Amino acid sequence: MELHEPYELAGQPAGGWLDPAPYLRGVAWLDSEGRPVRADPDDVMRLPWDTGERAALPIGMRIEFLARGATAVELRYRARVPAEGEALHDLAHTFALWQGEECLTETTVTPHEEGHVRIQLPRSTGSFTIHPPESQAPVVVGVRGVGGAIEPVGRRPRWLVHGDSITEGWWSTRPAHSWPAVAGRRLGLDTVNLGYAGGGRGELAIAEQLARLPADVLTLAFGTNCWSAPFSVPLMYETLLAFVRLVRQGHPTTPLLLVSPLLHPEAEETPNALGATLTELRTALEDAARTLMAEGDGHLRLLLGHGLLTPDHLADGLHPTDEGHALLGAAVAEALAPYVPEPPREDSRGLRAVRRERG
């Protein structure tokens, strides 16, 4: 059963609401108002405007908890709901409840700018994950158990994943179906999705932000948009060298997996405005990775992207279908598995402490 009441109808909410911060996962930074964001709020002006816009969406943010007798969990949230007549106004809010590799239920509610949702739980003391909707940027401001207690799960190894719209999860039908979510579940990682639609062009300010974030594992999966940006072959080679070297200033020995661009049939043999095909740009990126490894980066690994998917796995000739995301997630998980550290981290550096007034 679903319960959803906008604040203006519900009046003052009942007691028992808990600070959501200990339950949030997949969070890189908080802005001055406590909203999860995916770029450093103090450094966002150095980023391209489109990357800054995408970074405001809480892609990959999740709520994870243990149920101690609770039969349901409730979330208080705020969301940006477009005005009537605007694009996405009628897009429903769907909250997906997962346990391990299984989606247990989905709760869909009418969008409201302020409200709360109740999600029924099975009888289990195991770890649960809630994937909230992403497109309307909901901000969870309170959680509570119904019929019993809930508590945060322990900290998992932190995985920073940087890329473009494919990493952000475009054309996956649910947030939990994106390839970073698939790989993170399989490996038991706290996945922080730093994929930006239209981005992933080797922006060096992003490399510096990655260097400042705590991480146990890193993955870089960009280069496709460098075909349309456009990049030349020498520029692609030098950009990859510079990007990784900047990341290494903050993570000199952190395992780093580089995934080269996936198949993009339209671009493979088509020269861009600077005369480079995607095949040539991919080769330049892979050659740069091999140069870094030859120079002594023993913690860098390369996953060749071209052969991971076929045209049948592409929804629009570029972005993977759910099946494509699942295959890509499995391939990344297999490549990363030997390098997932133990034990998990216990800190959450990178989050700026934010005090919020409570009514």
Side-chain angles (χ1 to χ4, degrees):
M1 182 183 72
E2 146 194 335
L3 172 65
H4 181 279
E5 302 176 34
Y7 284 179
E8 62 267 26
L9 297 181
Q12 286 292 340
W17 291 107
L18 305 171
D19 183 346
Y23 298 87
L24 297 182
R25 299 295 182 268
V27 179
W29 294 273
L30 300 177
D31 68 12
S32 61
E33 298 180 11
R35 294 185 300 242
V37 292
R38 300 186 302 124
D40 187 344
D42 295 328
D43 192 30
V44 71
M45 295 303 294
R46 288 201 301 151
L47 304 182
W49 73 267
D50 55 346
T51 298
E53 288 289 315
R54 300 308 300 180
L57 296 177
I59 304 298
M61 188 270 288
R62 312 169 303 285
I63 299 93
E64 296 188 359
F65 60 95
L66 299 170
R68 301 304 190 193
T71 59
V73 65
E74 291 186 335
L75 307 178
R76 281 176 56 193
Y77 68 91
R78 300 189 182 103
R80 302 169 184 168
V81 180
E84 188 171 354
E86 292 184 5
L88 305 182
H89 173 267
D90 297 325
L91 187 65
H93 283 171
T94 297
F95 296 79
L97 177 71
W98 283 70
Q99 187 171 45
E101 295 285 324
E102 182 182 3
C103 179
L104 301 179
T105 185
E106 292 185 337
T107 301
T108 300
V109 298
T110 303
H112 287 281
E113 291 184 356
E114 298 186 75
H116 74 273
V117 61
R118 176 179 292 183
I119 300 169
Q120 297 299 132
L121 301 176
R123 294 184 178 276
S124 172
T125 57
S127 174
F128 294 99
T129 299
I130 296 174
H131 291 266
E134 294 175 338
S135 61
Q136 293 166 343
V139 177
V140 178
V141 297
V143 305
R144 67 180 177 187
V146 177
I150 62 171
E151 64 183 53
V153 299
R155 292 286 174 181
R156 307 179 192 275
R158 198 163 191 242
W159 179 34
L160 305 184
V161 190
H162 171 60
D164 49 32
S165 56
I166 297 172
T167 298
E168 196 180 79
W170 277 39
W171 284 92
S172 62
T173 58
R174 294 289 189 272
H177 295 171
S178 71
W179 73 261
V182 170
R185 274 196 305 273
R186 186 163 297 190
L187 296 175
L189 298 171
D190 178 11
T191 304
V192 180
N193 189 317
L194 301 176
Y196 312 107
R201 298 169 295 223
E203 298 89 343
L204 298 186
I206 292 289
E208 291 181 317
Q209 293 189 13
L210 292 172
R212 295 194 295 266
L213 281 173
D216 297 291
V217 192
L218 296 157
T219 294
L220 307 177
F222 66 85
T224 299
N225 287 335
C226 295
W227 175 74
S228 56
F231 275 46
S232 66
V233 169
L235 179 59
M236 183 78 264
Y237 180 86
E238 294 296 337
T239 296
L240 192 281
L241 292 180
F243 197 99
V244 174
R245 285 168 178 162
L246 285 172
V247 171
R248 282 298 189 214
Q249 290 182 9
H251 301 285
T253 61
T254 303
L256 192 162
L257 176 69
L258 177 68
V259 184
S260 63
L262 305 178
L263 174 70
H264 180 14
E266 177 186 353
E268 292 297 328
E269 302 302 330
T270 303
N272 64 14
L274 292 178
T277 67
L278 182 60
T279 297
E280 292 170 332
L281 293 176
R282 183 186 295 111
T283 299
L285 184 146
E286 293 168 354
D287 286 347
R290 295 185 180 101
T291 295
L292 291 166
M293 289 186 280
E295 290 177 351
D297 191 337
H299 301 277
L300 175 65
R301 296 294 181 270
L302 175 62
L303 178 61
L304 304 181
H306 181 266
L308 297 179
L309 303 180
T310 71
D312 291 339
H313 299 128
L314 305 177
D316 60 350
L318 173 60
H319 299 96
T321 61
D322 278 349
E323 181 183 4
H325 275 284
L327 289 171
L328 180 54
V332 170
E334 182 179 1
L336 279 180
Y339 310 104
V340 174
E342 293 290 346
R345 302 180 69 95
E346 294 298 330
D347 63 52
S348 58
R349 291 171 295 154
L351 297 184
R352 300 196 311 173
V354 177
R355 295 184 179 275
R356 294 193 286 270
E357 293 289 332
R358 305 210 181 274

